[in-house]
Amino acid sequence: QVQLVESGGGLVQAGGSLRLSCAASGIIISAKDMGWHRQAPGKQRELVARITRSGTTIYANSVRSRFIISRDSAKNTVYLQMNSLKPEDTAVYYCNDYLGGYGWGQGTQVTVSS
């Protein structure tokens, strides 16, 4: 059974930083293309960052140069370092494979105040 548990969200002022973590069990994250997705109120869920099995990172235009996705294979954990946060980054953030192929967890709420 696959479990993906997100943590690290919170309330931050614009320009601030947060680091999200996704602890995985039931899968080996380094054997998957993993992604961070987000869903803002009234909007569809979107993929914002992806890390491939080979370690290549890919970002949505809206977060490129501000967010960094990484992984720790020993801890089987995926991270999302979010810098220079903007109010429009406010959303619930979810970890999944990059296609969203596993069940969605509760996510972690990120709120950026202006």
Side-chain angles (χ1 to χ4, degrees), residues 18-109:
L18 284 173
R19 187 193 195 205
L20 308 183
S21 299
C22 170
S25 60
I27 58 169
I28 299 174
I29 58 157
S30 58
K32 305 284 184 181
D33 281 25
M34 296 298 294
W36 280 97
H37 309 248
R38 70 184 181 188
Q39 186 166 23
K43 295 189 177 181
Q44 287 192 333
R45 188 176 286 130
E46 62 172 341
L47 175 67
V48 296
R50 170 184 170 188
I51 183 165
T52 70
R53 287 169 292 176
S54 65
T56 299
T57 55
I58 303 164
Y59 300 95
N61 289 337
S62 57
V63 306
R64 188 174 293 116
S65 79
R66 299 188 298 121
F67 290 11
I68 301 170
I69 187 171
S70 63
R71 68 187 177 210
D72 184 329
S73 298
K75 295 182 178 180
N76 211 33
T77 298
V78 183
Y79 302 98
L80 187 67
Q81 177 67 43
M82 306 188 296
N83 302 318
S84 302
L85 282 161
K86 304 176 181 180
E88 51 264 44
D89 295 318
T90 294
V92 179
Y93 284 72
Y94 302 89
C95 170
N96 209 316
D97 74 3
Y98 85 104
L99 293 174
Y102 300 112
W104 297 101
Q106 292 191 338
T108 186
Q109 175 71 48

